[in-house]
Amino acid sequence: MPASSPRVLWKGAISFGLVHIPVALYSATQDGSIDFDWLDKRSMDHVGYKRINKKTGKEIARENIVRGVEWEDGQYVVLTDKEIADAYPRTLQTIEIERFVPADGIPFIHLDRPYYTAPIQRGAKVYALLREALVRSGRIGVARVVIQTKEHLAALVPAGPGLVLNLLRWGADIRSWEGLPLPDADARKAGVNDRELKMAEQLIDDMSGEWNPEEYEDRFRDRIMALVERKAEAGQAQDVAKLEPQEQASSGAKILDLTELLQRSLRGGKGRAAAKGDDDEAADEGDEDDGNTRTKAAAGKRAAAKAPAKRAAAKSAPARKTAPRRKAA
């Protein structure tokens, strides 16, 4: 299958202190699994999913469908489209860094999905500055970002020439070890003796090596694609009408003087309230092109008030209750 060129998924800015770095977001992964589409064998048209009442087995009309969140066993709270839309986070088009933590401070179980970031407009110098500062300090940024009306926690990690935005799982989404039949944390109490431990360590040493992702392949995918290739070369490929993809429009960010904003941030830009007054002043300074990398202050979030009410098909917010997480109907 032909490789596709990188596509911009989101445009906005990395923000810390009073500094904004205009960036674009690109997917850092691709799904290599086999996607078996449903097709009508008579016409080779795509086949979608029906809305079926699970009790009666009958198809129901869209206007008769409401969305509810299970509150107690068998009890649901129904939410209107407006109530759900009002709960959506505002789209601020920023990767808002809230804290810098040690690079090894986030357990791998919290890592979810990586994205590449790349500077746009005149943000290359500030981008490089943040990347190098993170490398030298041994830290990564913990940030919030809204993508397609959904707020995510994320880690901004320097990696090679760029910065990777790795979405994180929320703490409430990580299950506890409690209840699992695990051996005692003390190896001796678990019945492990020194001889067995040394043998296990020797085996690990013998099998150790450098990580090389090219050595590992999806064997099921390779077998399926080899079969597909043989059948296609035998003339068994059929034409299917393509569905038109929809791209989401996004906004960019302007830039002002970097050095001045860094100095302001160090003087007292920790709180957002303190930052706002400086931002308004910075916005009036103009945008002279004197060769310095520039950035726009955090108060430029004025366009953020556009509520994404159109995305009524997104997931509803969880019920506010100190109880195990409930599934939505």
Side-chain angles (χ1 to χ4, degrees):
M1 292 183 291
S4 58
S5 58
R7 183 170 67 89
V8 175
L9 302 177
W10 179 93
K11 284 185 180 180
I14 298 170
S15 173
F16 65 104
L18 303 181
V19 178
H20 270 202
I21 308 171
V23 295
L25 207 63
Y26 302 83
S27 177
T29 62
Q30 57 185 6
D31 188 0
S33 61
I34 303 298
D35 185 10
F36 293 101
D37 292 329
W38 287 9
L39 304 171
D40 187 331
K41 69 177 182 180
R42 301 165 298 178
S43 61
M44 295 307 295
D45 293 327
H46 285 277
V47 176
Y49 294 96
K50 289 185 176 181
R51 301 175 183 87
I52 301 295
N53 183 313
K54 294 183 179 180
K55 184 175 182 179
T56 65
K58 296 181 179 179
E59 185 175 358
I60 59 177
R62 180 187 293 271
E63 58 267 23
N64 290 328
I65 297 177
V66 295
R67 284 179 286 179
V69 176
E70 188 175 13
W71 179 249
E72 298 289 353
D73 188 21
Q75 291 186 335
Y76 283 79
V77 175
V78 174
L79 301 177
T80 66
D81 289 346
K82 184 179 184 306
E83 288 173 328
I84 295 172
D86 289 344
Y88 285 146
R90 292 185 303 164
T91 304
L92 302 179
Q93 294 304 111
T94 56
I95 299 168
E96 190 76 32
I97 298 176
E98 298 187 350
R99 183 170 298 177
F100 294 99
V101 302
D104 59 353
I106 299 179
F108 75 91
I109 197 171
H110 285 268
L111 303 180
D112 191 5
R113 177 177 295 183
Y115 291 92
Y116 290 135
T117 70
I120 55 177
Q121 300 175 14
R122 290 178 293 167
K125 177 182 175 181
V126 203
Y127 183 95
L129 172 65
L130 177 58
R131 180 194 64 200
E132 294 306 310
L134 289 174
V135 170
R136 294 191 182 192
S137 65
R139 283 174 165 73
I140 59 179
V142 176
R144 291 176 186 263
V145 59
V146 177
I147 302 176
Q148 295 182 342
T149 74
K150 184 176 181 181
E151 185 178 56
H152 300 271
L153 190 64
L156 192 65
V157 184
L163 291 168
V164 173
L165 184 76
N166 203 316
L167 301 187
L168 301 175
R169 296 181 178 93
W170 298 100
D173 293 339
I174 305 299
R175 291 181 174 178
S176 168
W177 292 104
E178 187 177 352
L180 298 179
L182 302 173
D184 197 286
D186 186 326
R188 293 186 181 277
K189 292 182 179 179
V192 178
N193 59 46
D194 290 340
R195 180 173 176 274
E196 292 168 332
L197 186 56
K198 288 181 180 179
M199 291 176 62
E201 290 174 344
Q202 181 61 50
L203 178 59
I204 291 173
D205 288 340
D206 292 344
M207 296 179 64
S208 294
E210 295 298 324
W211 161 246
N212 181 8
E214 295 181 358
E215 294 180 0
Y216 306 93
E217 299 176 350
D218 185 339
R219 290 178 291 188
F220 171 75
R221 179 185 183 279
D222 291 344
R223 290 167 186 159
I224 290 294
M225 293 312 299
L227 177 60
V228 169
E229 183 178 359
R230 288 197 301 270
K231 298 188 74 169
E233 291 178 348
Q236 298 181 36
Q238 302 182 53
D239 293 332
V240 176
K242 291 185 178 181
L243 301 176
E244 292 296 329
Q246 295 182 349
E247 294 198 13
Q248 183 177 3
S250 54
S251 60
K254 294 183 180 179
I255 46 181
L256 295 171
D257 190 88
L258 165 63
T259 304
E260 176 64 20
L261 291 180
L262 286 174
Q263 290 174 346
R264 292 182 187 181
S265 296
L266 290 173
R267 285 199 299 264
K270 291 184 178 180
R272 290 188 182 179
K276 188 177 186 304
D278 288 336
D279 294 343
D280 293 336
E281 178 184 344
D284 295 333
E285 292 180 359
D287 190 20
E288 302 176 21
D289 188 9
D290 58 359
N292 292 333
T293 305
R294 301 170 182 270
T295 137
K296 183 156 187 169
K301 300 174 182 175
R302 56 193 180 278
K306 297 181 180 178
K310 296 180 181 178
R311 301 297 302 245
K315 288 185 179 179
S316 58
R320 299 193 176 215
K321 182 180 178 184
T322 308
R325 190 177 174 185
R326 302 293 186 181
K327 62 187 179 187

